[in-house]
Amino acid sequence: MKRERDFDQTLRVWLDDGADRAPERFVWAALDDVERTAQRGAWLASLEGLLMNLKPAAPILGVAAVVLVAAAAFQLFGPGIGNPTTPTPTPRAFTAADLPSIILTEANAPDGLTVDATTTGREALNTPFRPGGPVMPADGFVDALMTNLNSTEAGGFVTWSALYDTTAAADAAFDVLVNEHEAADGWALTPEVPAALGLGDEAVHYAGPAYEFAAAEIYVWRAGNLLLAAVAVDVARVSADDAERLRQIAVGMDERAR
């Protein structure tokens, strides 16, 4: 009871002093309680406020998160997720046994074309080059096969092939062959445009004097590790009919090399 009377007396004194002033011991007691009470850190209060503000945007943020995850997955795994793409086919590796079935021979020459000469090996390989000039690279060379068709003193047709053991070796040889046809000290020909009917992996088409003839129509191309050529020559000019026949020969060779 004495404590209650003391409290009542203190309260009356405080009220007499005014509601805007508290006894000093009450103030210190309140501060002491504050010190003993666990306080929320400023980062926690800020985070709670942020979460409250983000609640209305939650659906939008969810969609954005899905988009970001999908984009990251695409960067890591490419377009094949859930729908694998078909692997790129491995290029065909040709062998010497393929050559007679690709160029024109007695076995596959169409009506109106007769094979009258066949050349093989290094002799066939270097036929497109000028006598006494450069020769085709020997590194990686496997075999070559060439046929002459409807040959006369006035001209005729030629189908030619040169096989290398790798695509890289054939590519290097193709560059040498092209240079011989275009160099000023070679056959000095200019590539025709459009280029060569989409033949093989890379191709060129020439028209002009070459191989000691006044006129020639020439397709040269590479298919993997194989070099191919189809040629028409004439002492005067290659007729439109012969040019069309040569185009058909080249297309047929390329189809058989696929």
Side-chain angles (χ1 to χ4, degrees):
M1 295 297 292
K2 183 176 183 302
R3 293 185 60 184
E4 291 179 4
R5 286 196 298 272
D6 290 342
F7 177 79
D8 291 342
Q9 183 178 1
T10 301
L11 181 60
R12 281 194 297 272
V13 172
W14 176 61
L15 291 174
D16 290 340
D17 288 340
D20 60 345
R21 178 180 173 187
E24 183 175 329
R25 64 191 184 88
F26 281 177
V27 174
W28 287 110
L31 291 175
D32 185 60
D33 287 341
V34 169
E35 288 181 356
R36 289 196 300 269
T37 302
Q39 302 295 307
R40 293 186 307 164
W43 68 270
L44 181 58
S46 299
L47 180 59
E48 287 182 355
L50 176 62
L51 293 176
M52 291 298 292
N53 291 333
L54 289 180
K55 278 186 178 180
I60 297 175
L61 292 176
V63 173
V66 171
V67 172
L68 288 174
V69 170
F74 182 87
Q75 292 293 329
L76 288 173
F77 302 108
I81 299 173
N83 184 24
T85 56
T86 303
T88 302
T90 302
R92 176 180 173 184
F94 296 95
T95 67
D98 295 316
L99 304 187
S101 63
I102 294 174
I103 69 169
L104 293 187
T105 61
E106 293 179 355
N108 61 17
D111 292 341
L113 289 173
T114 302
V115 175
D116 48 55
T118 299
T119 310
T120 61
R122 291 188 181 275
E123 182 181 356
L125 176 67
N126 292 310
T127 297
F129 289 79
R130 295 164 292 116
V135 295
M136 286 284 281
D139 291 346
F141 172 69
V142 176
D143 199 4
L145 179 62
M146 181 183 74
T147 57
N148 291 28
L149 302 100
N150 292 11
S151 300
T152 69
E153 292 182 357
F157 297 91
V158 175
T159 61
W160 177 90
S161 60
L163 179 69
Y164 283 80
D165 58 0
T166 66
T167 295
D171 190 38
F174 180 79
D175 291 342
V176 173
L177 185 61
V178 167
N179 183 71
E180 172 67 3
H181 282 81
E182 297 180 10
D185 58 350
W187 299 120
L189 297 172
T190 300
E192 295 288 302
V193 178
L197 309 173
L199 302 174
D201 299 316
E202 53 185 334
V204 287
H205 173 208
Y206 303 107
Y211 317 131
E212 311 304 333
F213 284 86
E217 190 93 13
I218 306 162
Y219 293 98
V220 178
W221 69 102
R222 179 183 64 80
N225 61 322
L226 180 63
L227 304 184
L228 295 164
V231 178
V233 293
D234 196 277
V235 294
R237 68 181 183 89
V238 176
S239 69
D241 288 344
D242 285 344
E244 175 57 24
R245 174 172 281 187
L246 180 68
R247 186 191 70 82
Q248 294 174 0
I249 290 172
V251 170
M253 290 171 59
D254 190 61
E255 289 176 350
R256 293 191 294 274
R258 294 185 185 276

